Each structure stands twice: as C-alpha cells, then as structure tokens.
Amino acid sequence: MPWSELDRVLIVSPHPLFREGIVRLLGDQVEVVGAVADWEEARDAIRKHHPQAIIVDHENVELKEDDLTPLLWPEIESIRVIYVTLAGNEMIIHDRQRVVEATEADLLQALKEAHRKREGKEETHVAPRAKPASQAPGIPEGGSIMRRLAVPLLLTVVLSTPVAIWLGRSDFTLALAGQQGQPVDWLLRLEFSIAGVIFVLCMVFLLYSVFAFRRAPGDMEDGPPIEGSIPLEIAWTIVPAIIVFSMATYTIGVLRDITKPSNPEPELVVNVTGFQWAWRFEYPDLGITSSELVLPVNQPVLFRLYATDVIHSFWVPEFRIKMDAIPGMENELRVTPTKVGEFKVRCAELCGTGHAYMLAPVKVVEQSAFQEWVKSRAEAAAPPAEAEAGAAAERGKALAQQYGCLSCHSIDGSALVGPTWKGLFGSTRTFQDGSTAVADEAYLRTSILDPGAQVVEGFPDIMPKTFKDQLTEDQIQDIIEFIKTLR
Ligand code: CUA
C-alpha cells in the first residue's frame, strides 16, 4: 500500500526544528495534517483533522504522557501516539515501555502499525518489532493463516486419536455387576473420549502459541488487541452447543433404557428405606425384612426407595445406579444383577454425622441360595416353640436387624461405629463426662430412647434419636432381651 494514502499524522513539538525535521523525514510518504507546539493546539488540530497518529517530541517536558489521560481527552484512545527523541544523529522511538534506537524506516513502520490498528487488521497481523522487524514471529497475513493452522491441527489429530482410543477403552470404575451398567459405561467412555479430544485440542493450541508466538528478546510491547471476530464467535458458540445437546440426547436415551421395566420377566420387588443412618430392605412378596440386601443373580429387581427423616441416596457403584430416597416420595430404580458377589449399598447424600457409616451389605447369590435364604428368614420369623424369654430375644434379634441396629453395634465383640452388644448387659459403662453406670435394663432403655443422654466414652454421639417414635414398648423390651443373651 502506498504511504501516501496511509496516514494522517500530527506532529507536536515546541521546537520548529523538530517539527520541520520530522516533516522532511517523512516527506510525502504520509499526510502531515499539522505541526503544532503544545497540547492545546494539538487538541484543536485533532478535532479538526482527525489524525491517525501523533508524533510527539519526547525530550520536551511539557509533552509528557501524563497529559494524555483518556478520561480528560477521549479521542486520544483511538490515536496512536509515538514519542520520538532526536539526539545528535540518532532517533529514538518511545512506544509505551519500549525505548529503542530507530531509523526513519522504523518511524514509518510505527506509523504503518498505527494505520493497521485503525483499519482493524490486527487479527491477521502482529505488530512488527522496530528491530529486527523481519524476524518478528506473528500471525501471517490473509491466506497463509490456514498454513499456520495446519501444524496445530495436524498435531491435534495425531495426538488426540490415541488419547481418545485409550480413554474409550479404559476401565475407570469398579467391576460391573449389573445389566443396567453396560450403557452407563458406554456413555462414560464416550464422554471421556470427547473430553480427551477437547483437552488435546486446547493444550496443543496453548503450547503451540506459547512457543510459536513467544516474545522476542527485548520486546516489551503488548500484543495487539483482538476483538470482534463474528465467525469465530459463532463457531465457538455453535460447536459446544452441538456437543452438549448431542450428549444430552444420548444420555436421556440411556436413562430411559436403564429405568424401563425388563419384560417379560417378573420383577422382584424390594422396598428400600433409608434412615439416619442405616438401610432397611423389605421384600413385600416374601414377607421378609432385612438389614442386608440379598438378591438372586440375573433376576430383574425393582427397588422402591423411601426415606423416613432426611434425603438419602441409594447407591451401589458396581450396579452403576444411584437414586435419592426422599421423605414423602417413592422413587423407583431397576437393577438386574449379573454377577455373584458381595457389594455395598452406600449412602450418596450427605445426611448427617453418621452419613459415612450408612453402608449395608449387598449379596448377589445363585437362585438356589436365594431360595434357601428366603426359607431361613421365613423360619426365623415364625414364632419359636421355646420359652417366652427365648421368643422375645429372637424377636429382638429380628428387630435389631430390621432397624439397622447391627450396622453400628456388633454382636461378636468386633469394633463398629457404636459399642458392641457382646457382654454389654451388666457391664460398667464409662461416659464422656467421666461418670459411670452399670448397664442394666433401665440403662439400655434410655440408650435406645434418648441416645444422647449417656454417650459412652470414645464413641461419637451419632445414634439416631428417632427410635422412640419407631419402636413400641414391647419391641424395646424384645431388643433388651436379645442384648441380655449376648453375654
Ligand atoms: Cu444417608 Cu448419607
């Protein structure tokens, strides 16, 4: 582009020699719209001639940069200001923090930059350095931008392919033990693969830019500001939106698949109740209530989830399913266990101090073993022929299992969250305040009804205070009879 149509330049210096020197230096290569002595005159000239660049005599103290407060003088923001010092045979350009020795060509280069800024060409151009301008790395002009993009794009393809394949085949989760987990795992691997490609894309462009566009030694100048690329902004809005909506659609399909009833096989119904801080499992068709979840392998199961106090969340990681149990609501969840083994129900919703201990065993067994378990539970539930005390203890044991007491209190002396029941009755208890008492019937009753009243030393005060609403007087007596048998 010929210089003549390039720039409208204003020169500011109180010294006529400076003004004339610069005018002569620039010759007819730019249009000098004015040469003024101070900022007052400069202001008028700027409003009148709209210069694109101002060359300021830097040696002159009256013309320091502080005067150019854009707040006082908003026009100055869109004008390139170039400070020039003429010292002997040397010319020095001061461009913001940069101070370099310069030649006439450099001054023209600085003016050219100012022109480009005004023309809004920063996107395809990084400011050339005063020295050495030819070696300055930058985004190339026009068509060669695709050539520049080729390297990082190729790197992205080459690197992201193995990453996507690796992520798509990796097992990040516990061994799968439920039919509904298969589509969940596929979804997870797909998401990891897509995220892997995006991660590689970002890292490649970041690191490529860090190295390819790094600052030249001695260059203290800011890069040119980039703003307002409509195609770019449309692209980075549309592309993520497409990814997110596609993933959401696929996810909704997976969710529908894993929650629909598996016909025609009849489902085993299990009512799950979460409470602070244990789980109770009822098999309404079999008349069984249990504190452990026993399931026959390959049998579709329908869980109905309830909560009595706060929100809990039923989660068996190996089944890849999780659902909140919410007071006053019934939620449904379906699982077909595919693997014999022992797992754990975990509570996945912070539900109080005992949340971390809210675990229950899950036993997936063969169909025959499940029938045996059902039979043994049915016999245990039948009233035994023994004496009344024995029958009460048996009922108490069933209650202790049903209400989750045995999740926290062992009956074999092993250490759980709460004190063991073995050898409890008749022993001397030491409490947190240092006082002691003998564990008689009254003590056990108080411990069940008002657990915070006498907390045993070394144990947290986390036992639910809700049993007084859940248990009848007879049931409490049965549990006490059961504890008394655990000598
Ligand atoms: Cu129940 Cu956390």
Side-chain angles (χ1 to χ4, degrees):
M1 140 191 346
W3 289 106
S4 52
E5 66 180 55
L6 176 69
D7 258 313
R8 302 158 59 76
V9 178
L10 178 69
I11 299 163
V12 188
S13 171
H15 300 295
L17 271 178
F18 181 94
R19 298 198 298 262
E20 280 164 30
I22 293 290
V23 169
R24 202 170 305 148
L25 193 66
L26 296 174
D28 57 359
Q29 298 181 93
V30 296
E31 185 191 349
V32 178
V33 296
V36 297
D38 55 36
W39 285 123
E40 276 302 311
E41 288 178 36
R43 191 181 306 218
D44 294 339
I46 285 166
R47 285 177 185 155
K48 199 166 161 194
H49 301 295
H50 307 289
Q52 286 142 358
I54 308 175
I55 295 172
V56 181
D57 179 1
H58 191 250
E59 283 305 278
N60 203 285
V61 284
E62 295 114 72
L63 299 179
K64 289 304 177 193
E65 206 166 1
D66 302 351
D67 301 330
L68 299 176
T69 312
L71 269 179
L72 295 173
W73 200 0
E75 304 96 308
I76 206 76
E77 269 202 300
S78 61
I79 300 174
R80 172 90 183 231
V81 180
I82 300 161
Y83 289 88
V84 171
T85 302
L86 294 179
N89 289 331
E90 289 188 332
M91 178 171 73
I92 300 170
I93 295 177
H94 311 253
D95 186 357
R96 274 174 269 180
Q97 304 95 339
R98 188 179 64 168
V99 178
V100 290
E101 288 180 25
T103 63
E104 174 195 342
D106 293 323
L107 181 58
L108 286 170
Q109 190 64 46
L111 290 171
K112 194 171 162 192
E113 258 177 59
H115 178 76
R116 286 219 167 101
K117 277 200 168 123
R118 293 191 60 86
E119 297 290 304
K121 288 185 179 166
E122 285 87 349
E123 279 160 52
T124 56
H125 175 77
V126 160
R129 275 65 175 166
K131 249 175 199 177
S134 58
Q135 289 167 17
I139 304 169
E141 303 265 345
S144 58
I145 197 160
M146 283 316 293
R147 213 163 58 229
R148 279 280 192 171
L149 279 176
V151 174
L153 284 177
L154 188 72
L155 272 174
T156 302
V157 172
V158 169
L159 293 175
S160 66
T161 307
V163 169
I165 291 172
W166 174 64
L167 288 169
R169 308 176 80 168
S170 298
D171 272 321
F172 303 107
T173 43
L174 296 168
L176 181 63
Q179 188 186 305
Q180 286 75 3
Q182 197 70 61
V184 175
D185 280 4
W186 278 113
L187 176 66
L188 192 70
R189 292 196 184 107
L190 178 69
E191 284 176 350
F192 266 101
S193 299
I194 293 173
V197 172
I198 294 171
F199 176 77
V200 171
L201 179 86
C202 296
M203 286 301 120
V204 164
F205 272 85
L206 177 72
L207 294 175
Y208 180 81
S209 304
V210 163
F211 289 103
F213 304 115
R214 70 185 179 281
R215 189 170 57 83
D219 176 15
M220 299 298 285
E221 197 186 18
D222 290 346
I226 296 175
E227 55 182 64
S229 171
I230 298 285
L232 202 57
E233 287 181 22
I234 289 176
W236 71 41
T237 307
I238 298 278
V239 172
I242 289 173
I243 295 173
V244 169
F245 278 111
S246 310
M247 293 310 298
T249 309
Y250 181 45
T251 306
I252 289 167
V254 168
L255 186 64
R256 199 190 48 212
D257 276 357
I258 66 172
T259 49
K260 71 172 185 235
S262 49
N263 288 320
E265 280 182 272
E267 291 173 317
L268 171 67
V269 177
V270 180
N271 294 337
V272 178
T273 307
F275 54 93
Q276 287 171 323
W277 285 280
W279 298 96
R280 184 163 66 238
F281 307 101
E282 289 163 71
Y283 300 68
D285 301 332
L286 305 171
I288 294 173
T289 302
S290 170
S291 59
E292 61 178 13
L293 179 60
V294 181
L295 301 172
V297 70
N298 296 324
Q299 159 77 55
V301 182
L302 168 64
F303 293 107
R304 293 203 187 103
L305 306 179
Y306 308 94
T308 56
D309 34 43
V310 298
I311 299 176
H312 303 274
S313 187
F314 177 84
W315 182 36
V316 182
E318 290 86 350
F319 293 160
R320 305 287 191 276
I321 49 148
K322 186 198 279 176
M323 178 78 80
D324 277 5
I326 301 169
M329 266 181 79
E330 181 188 296
N331 280 345
E332 287 190 348
L333 198 56
R334 289 185 160 86
V335 168
T336 308
T338 52
K339 227 185 232 173
V340 171
E342 299 203 357
F343 313 109
K344 273 195 170 78
V345 177
R346 288 153 208 280
C347 179
E349 180 67 56
L350 186 60
C351 56
T353 40
H355 163 70
Y357 307 111
M358 200 168 154
L359 304 165
V362 181
K363 290 178 184 158
V364 177
V365 297
E366 297 290 352
Q367 191 60 245
S368 55
F370 181 71
Q371 293 308 333
E372 269 170 39
W373 178 75
V374 170
K375 215 169 120 211
S376 71
R377 293 304 304 240
E379 278 165 6
E386 280 87 350
E388 175 56 20
E394 282 300 314
R395 287 197 303 271
K397 184 179 182 180
L399 286 166
Q401 284 171 339
Q402 177 181 342
Y403 283 93
C405 310
L406 304 184
S407 306
C408 299
H409 302 283
S410 76
I411 55 174
D412 60 0
S414 60
L416 295 177
V417 184
T420 182
W421 283 0
K422 187 178 172 63
L424 165 60
F425 187 75
S427 67
T428 301
R429 318 298 288 167
T430 307
F431 304 118
Q432 279 179 345
D433 60 5
S435 62
T436 58
V438 171
D440 54 12
E441 281 198 26
Y443 163 80
L444 292 180
R445 187 179 309 274
T446 309
S447 294
I448 294 169
L449 294 174
D450 187 9
Q454 37 189 16
V455 180
V456 175
E457 194 178 27
F459 292 94
D461 177 18
I462 62 166
M463 179 162 157
K465 318 284 192 269
T466 49
F467 290 116
K468 61 179 182 295
D469 305 320
Q470 292 180 33
L471 297 169
T472 65
E473 182 53 39
D474 286 347
Q475 285 174 322
I476 291 169
Q477 193 56 49
D478 288 347
I479 292 171
I480 291 171
E481 290 303 329
F482 171 55
I483 294 172
K484 282 159 83 173
T485 65
L486 301 168
R487 295 273 175 163

